[in-house]
Amino acid sequence: TLRNVPGVLSSINNVLAATELNIVSQNLATNEQVGVLIIDLARDVDDAQAEELRAAIAAPDTSLRTRIV
């Protein structure tokens, strides 16, 4: 869950681009204040890399809740 403000989606995509992970699909649903983003990656990541990604995506104050499944 994220705050619906300009630049949020690009900041998350930049985190993923820095790790050279390819995004297969993205689904974003928002209302005026918040949004839910689901991202499907082209390959699996190990637990350590998943935690690093979760922490990097969760770090900005625009992130309200981050979960990796």
Side-chain angles (χ1 to χ4, degrees), residues 45-58:
V45 296
D46 62 33
D47 289 345
Q49 189 176 21
E51 178 52 30
E52 287 178 25
L53 285 172
R54 192 209 59 76
I57 292 169

Side-chain angles (χ1 to χ4, degrees), residues 11-39:
S11 69
I12 292 170
N13 287 340
N14 287 337
V15 167
L16 295 170
T19 63
E20 298 183 357
L21 290 169
N22 188 39
I23 298 169
V24 175
S25 68
Q26 289 183 317
N27 296 303
L28 176 64
T30 63
N31 65 25
E32 290 182 11
Q33 282 120 21
V34 297
V36 174
L37 175 63
I38 299 170
I39 300 173

